[in-house]
Amino acid sequence: MFSSVAPLARLNPFHAPQLQLLQDGVRKRPDPAEPPSPRRSLAAAAVAEEEYSCEYGSLKFYALCGFGGVLSCGLTHTAVVPLDLVKCRIQVDPQKYKSIFNGFSVTVKEDGFRGLAKGWAPTFFGYSMQGLCKFGFYEVFKVLYGNLLGEENAYLWRTSLYLAASASAEFFADIALAPMEAAKVRIQTQPGYANTLRQAAPKMFAEEGVWAFYKGVVPLWMRQIPYTMMKFACFERTVEALYKYVVPKPRSECSKPEQLVVTFIAGYIAGVFCAIVSHPADSVVSVLNKEKGSSASQVLVRLGFRGVWKGLFARIIMIGTLTALQWFIYDSVKVYFRLPRPPPPEMPESLKKKLALTE
């Protein structure tokens, strides 16, 4: 029996390295006189000697978190520009671009494969700035609000803490994103308007002044704040649930690659919910930035209930993948720079005593 179980145990990505399955089913008892295993001694020493490059909540910590946000958002959004372009065109012209595959086909036929990269520059710069503020300020506000609540309330109200911290961070992140988002939508959805950021920005300023870059900030808040609240709160609680109910060993016993696998899975789950919550506002932003003189309420009324859900499937694919990759990259940056990565929250001992959960 053990001959068939052993290969399966080794294939498990969360298998315990110290587990030994022998042919006769009996585990060898350690000999007191036998010296400790060098591998185990080295592993224990590595854990004991592991040091963080900075303190949790320090300026260096926030700066590197912001840098992680630049990489996670800037790179991932730029990588999916072709899908984003087709999604935006479906939203603003559903008669011409009837589906994802039809949208790709029409775009390639009209503009060639280079046409699929339209808007990459404002996407890269805009979402890099957004990532800097989103992830950097999230860590700032999470620490700030957590300190205001106190240890016990921060645990009891941790979901509300995640929601408040992410909403506060996204408020500032969208102000940084708005100008580039407006230019991106013009480039992608108005044929002949401009092909590059250098062409679009001066033209937009000449036509509508500074307002051209910020008229979409309110619907951007409507889209991005619910999206980010779901992104962070759902991710944090999903990670907590995965380690509690799915992963067969504590996080402290998981290797860094194993922890990053959990991060990716939790990120994808969060991304699906993010796409659904934020899609109606995303449709309004796409149409609003294309048209002159329209308001968010006018666009919303004209689109109607069915209209605001156009392109949802493309957005679920895009945002699910994006969110998973963003969390994976962000957590990888933390690992690379040896930043503090607190484990999923546990109930404080003082609260356990109050609730009579300890003897």
Side-chain angles (χ1 to χ4, degrees):
M1 179 181 71
F2 282 95
S3 62
S4 61
V5 173
L8 293 175
R10 295 189 191 98
L11 289 173
N12 176 10
F14 298 101
H15 75 280
Q18 69 270 20
L19 181 62
Q20 297 178 356
L21 296 172
L22 305 181
Q23 295 292 338
D24 57 359
V26 180
R27 185 174 179 180
K28 180 181 177 183
R29 294 184 179 181
D31 185 356
E34 184 179 346
S37 169
R39 182 184 299 178
R40 188 173 300 179
S41 300
L42 289 174
V47 172
E49 294 176 4
E50 182 178 5
E51 294 181 359
Y52 297 127
S53 62
C54 60
E55 292 184 6
Y56 181 73
S58 65
L59 287 177
K60 182 179 178 180
F61 173 78
Y62 294 137
L64 289 174
C65 286
F67 176 68
V70 169
L71 293 181
S72 67
C73 291
L75 295 178
T76 53
H77 277 277
T78 305
V80 295
V81 160
L83 185 59
D84 183 49
L85 179 141
V86 173
K87 183 266 300 178
C88 288
R89 289 184 172 183
I90 291 173
Q91 289 172 328
V92 302
D93 194 354
Q95 300 301 320
K96 183 177 180 180
Y97 305 94
K98 297 178 175 60
S99 66
I100 298 176
F101 300 108
N102 175 258
F104 274 107
S105 176
V106 172
T107 300
V108 172
K109 189 177 296 184
E110 292 182 348
D111 303 323
F113 284 100
R114 291 188 63 182
L116 293 173
K118 277 189 174 182
W120 74 266
T123 298
F124 176 74
F125 292 116
Y127 282 94
S128 292
M129 292 302 299
Q130 188 213 34
L132 172 70
C133 299
K134 183 199 297 274
F135 284 93
F137 285 154
Y138 173 71
E139 299 289 356
V140 171
F141 285 116
K142 188 167 70 168
V143 171
L144 176 63
Y145 296 158
N147 290 338
L148 291 175
L149 288 172
E151 184 183 26
E152 293 180 3
N153 287 329
Y155 174 80
L156 291 173
W157 297 91
R158 59 192 182 280
T159 302
S160 299
L161 173 63
Y162 304 146
L163 293 171
S166 56
S168 301
E170 190 59 37
F171 177 85
F172 295 101
D174 289 342
I175 295 174
L177 170 64
M180 295 294 102
E181 178 73 3
K184 175 186 78 75
V185 173
R186 290 285 183 96
I187 293 170
Q188 292 181 337
T189 62
Q190 288 188 246
Y193 185 83
N195 290 320
T196 65
L197 176 61
R198 287 177 295 177
Q199 294 173 355
K203 193 171 182 179
M204 291 170 64
F205 182 78
E207 291 175 350
E208 300 180 70
V210 177
W211 176 243
F213 299 101
Y214 287 99
K215 71 176 183 178
V217 72
V218 172
L220 203 56
W221 282 328
M222 292 167 55
R223 181 188 81 182
Q224 290 296 130
I225 290 179
Y227 162 86
T228 302
M229 292 170 72
M230 182 66 71
K231 174 178 180 174
F232 282 86
C234 185
F235 172 80
E236 297 270 20
R237 293 310 299 261
T238 302
V239 167
E240 187 178 336
L242 288 174
Y243 280 113
K244 187 173 182 180
Y245 300 110
V246 179
V247 181
K249 57 184 177 181
R251 179 180 181 269
S252 58
E253 296 179 13
C254 294
S255 66
K256 292 295 191 295
E258 290 170 348
Q259 292 175 16
L260 291 174
V261 169
V262 175
T263 295
F264 184 85
I265 294 171
Y268 210 103
I269 293 171
V272 173
F273 289 100
C274 289
I276 297 171
V277 166
S278 62
H279 189 73
D282 181 65
S283 298
V284 173
V285 170
S286 295
V287 176
L288 187 65
N289 283 322
K290 177 191 175 185
E291 299 178 353
K292 299 177 185 178
S294 297
S295 66
S297 58
Q298 291 171 338
V299 172
L300 186 60
V301 170
R302 189 167 70 255
L303 288 176
F305 179 79
R306 293 186 63 182
V308 297
W309 294 106
K310 291 282 187 180
L312 177 61
F313 181 65
R315 185 167 169 77
I316 286 176
I317 296 173
M318 184 181 79
I319 297 301
T321 307
L322 269 179
T323 306
L325 289 174
Q326 284 174 2
W327 279 114
F328 183 82
I329 293 171
Y330 181 65
D331 219 20
S332 297
V333 170
K334 282 187 168 183
V335 170
Y336 179 79
F337 286 108
R338 295 183 294 110
L339 299 184
R341 298 163 62 241
E346 296 182 359
M347 184 179 292
E349 290 298 325
S350 59
L351 190 57
K352 290 180 181 179
K353 291 178 182 179
K354 289 181 181 179
L355 298 176
L357 293 181
T358 58
E359 297 181 0

